Amino acid sequence: MKSGRLWGVGAALVLGAWVLSTRRAASYARLHPELRSPFVRFRSPPFTPGVVAVMGAMQARAKAPALPDGMMVEERHIPGPPGAPDVTVFVYRPPNLPAGAAAILNIHGGGYVTGSAASYHPQSAAYARELGVLVVGVEYRLAPGTPFPGPLEDCYSALTWMAREADPLGIDPARIALVGDSAGGGLAAALAQLAHDRSEVTPAFQLLYYPMLDDRTTLAATHDERGEFIWRPASNQFGWSAYLGRPPRMDSAPEYAAPARRADLTGLPPAWIGVGTLDLFHAEDRDYAQRLQAAGVPCEYVEVPGAYHAFERFAPDSAVARTFMTSALNALRRGLRLV
């Protein structure tokens, strides 16, 4: 009897592995041809406390990448939320920045549990150089050490600091865009809502790359073969649980924690939302874009067939990634009235 039970467990494990490999092979076949590579065949490990700790240690030891010639970056420490530590920001200034320039608040991704503004030096510097704007990267505190609302309030502190210090920074406070990818996109969307309701600063635009908007995605029974690459359902469960300070539940989440839960989207800044069809966040991002449009908020929605989460970072030289980024930059130019 005991050997029979062992055989049954072994058979179940083999069957489960076969189902997973078959499903992954089917997902790989659905990838955009330019995004198929040996790298994405590797099944990235789901986030766990151990994985996040290793990633944090690697980021702490990493050297900041070199910036383009003429680009200036300054590390500043600004007042944080009431009762909280100061917030570190990086200010990127291109050569010959005119007075009253437009600005970007760039919010890094990492599932709310990892990542850093310093690791986004190349992206922030590229925005400053290509658009001729001032860029501020915010080093918000990470979950689970600091769950919601701490990370969002850090971002709000950075936004209000930019508006208060507009003259010394040489920027127009009416032309500040919120930019973020993945969890950074979720924070940017939540920040747009929070800024709207507090009425201290009015962002001009929100640019959201595959934003992490809805904790209820973790509760879905199936994901239609999405989330097989880079950001998987197990990582999503970990990220949201860390950020909320508890596992997600269908009935509620704190206001501003999950931007997709907000009922009234009227009056929010114009938006651009881009996501791949194989991204775990595809459905929640498409739904949020449609709801913004229905609420009268100008929103350009870009859907990339066969693209996985953060594909433009892993295949930056592909034509599909370049097209995606061109769309985003053009949207920023329009949103910040640079054209």
Side-chain angles (χ1 to χ4, degrees), residues 294-333:
V297 176
C299 178
E300 180 181 358
Y301 173 65
V302 175
E303 183 176 282
V304 184
Y308 53 84
H309 191 71
F311 71 96
E312 86 290 355
R313 289 183 170 271
F314 293 96
D317 295 327
S318 64
V320 67
R322 290 196 297 268
T323 299
F324 184 70
M325 291 306 301
T326 296
S327 174
L329 289 173
N330 286 340
L332 273 174
R333 290 186 178 97

Side-chain angles (χ1 to χ4, degrees), residues 3 32 48-49 56 84 163 222-223 232 258 269 271 287:
S3 62
H32 190 287
T48 64
T222 63
H223 300 285
R232 294 163 52 198
D287 180 68

Side-chain angles (χ1 to χ4, degrees), residues 93 97-102 134 165-172:
R93 186 181 299 273
L97 185 72
L134 183 122
E165 298 296 313
D167 286 343
L169 290 171
I171 63 173
D172 179 355

Side-chain angles (χ1 to χ4, degrees), residues 181-235:
D181 63 290
S182 195
L187 284 167
L191 184 57
Q193 297 176 2
L194 187 62
H196 172 272
D197 294 350
R198 290 183 178 174
S199 301
E200 292 184 281
V201 186
T202 302
F205 195 70
Q206 48 181 328
L207 189 88
L208 313 177
Y209 298 95
Y210 34 87
M212 187 173 174
L213 299 170
D214 198 338
D215 61 315
R216 293 168 295 186
T217 296
T218 66
L219 304 175
T222 63
H223 300 285
D224 297 324
E225 297 183 2
R226 295 184 171 90
E228 287 294 312
F229 307 103
I230 308 303
W231 188 252
R232 294 163 52 198
S235 296

Side-chain angles (χ1 to χ4, degrees), residues 214-273:
D214 198 338
D215 61 315
R216 293 168 295 186
T217 296
T218 66
L219 304 175
T222 63
H223 300 285
D224 297 324
E225 297 183 2
R226 295 184 171 90
E228 287 294 312
F229 307 103
I230 308 303
W231 188 252
R232 294 163 52 198
S235 296
N236 204 39
Q237 176 72 38
F238 178 83
W240 274 114
S241 297
Y243 186 54
L244 296 173
R246 58 156 174 81
R249 51 178 181 251
M250 190 62 72
D251 60 340
S252 65
E255 189 176 16
Y256 307 115
R261 287 181 178 263
R262 184 181 176 100
D264 184 5
L265 302 181
T266 56
L268 294 179
W272 178 97
I273 298 177

Side-chain angles (χ1 to χ4, degrees), residues 86-156:
D86 286 351
V87 176
T88 298
V89 298
F90 296 93
V91 181
Y92 305 81
R93 186 181 299 273
N96 305 314
L97 185 72
I104 288 172
L105 177 60
N106 195 21
I107 307 175
H108 72 80
Y112 297 114
V113 295
T114 188
S116 68
S119 68
Y120 274 52
H121 276 333
Q123 185 195 69
S124 294
Y127 286 137
R129 181 184 67 250
E130 295 186 31
L131 300 177
V133 301
L134 183 122
V135 178
V136 174
V138 54
E139 201 74 88
Y140 60 86
R141 290 168 293 169
L142 298 173
T146 304
F148 175 85
L152 177 60
E153 291 291 354
D154 287 350
C155 294
Y156 187 77

